[in-house]
Amino acid sequence: MKATASIFWIIGTFFVIVGTVYGFWVKWTEWAGIPAIYALGAMSLMIAWYVQATDKRFKQGPADDEDGEIVSYSGTYGTFAPWSWWPLPLATACALVALGLAIDWWIFIAGAALAAFGTAGWVYEFSRGKYAH
């Protein structure tokens, strides 16, 4: 985890520096790229902080072991539903939202409604039916 935190600290710092240099380069007149680069830096720094904060709860991880092997990463990473159809309406909703941003507001609203439906279905997938917990 220490190696992961270090990588994200470096990436976040890099994007903050690049955002500042880019801002001076374009004389702070371009308002699409500058906030996007700063957002990348902020997200990387948040991940670095989170990984570093949670590192205190855990012992040395496989990435921190100098003699570590790939097999050390084996184990259960979560519960996945390979039979799930919920990603399909969510992908359609994302396409409709992007299309709505380009064309008209009513397409955006239809995509947002479909996204809410698909997200709720995917979140509660294991709460009903055959695979309920």
Side-chain angles (χ1 to χ4, degrees), residues 20-90:
T20 305
V21 169
Y22 183 68
F24 282 112
W25 187 23
V26 297
K27 299 180 177 108
W28 302 98
T29 58
E30 197 268 312
W31 291 106
I34 297 169
I37 295 171
Y38 278 137
L40 282 171
M43 287 185 281
S44 298
L45 292 174
M46 284 189 292
I47 292 171
W49 174 80
Y50 175 76
V51 169
Q52 192 170 9
T54 57
D55 182 44
K56 296 174 186 173
R57 283 191 265 155
F58 300 105
K59 296 180 181 168
Q60 184 177 12
D64 298 322
D65 187 10
E66 294 284 333
D67 300 320
E69 296 289 328
I70 293 174
V71 74
S72 302
Y73 283 104
S74 64
T76 303
Y77 283 102
T79 304
F80 303 100
W83 60 85
S84 178
W85 283 88
W86 288 109
L88 186 62
L90 277 173

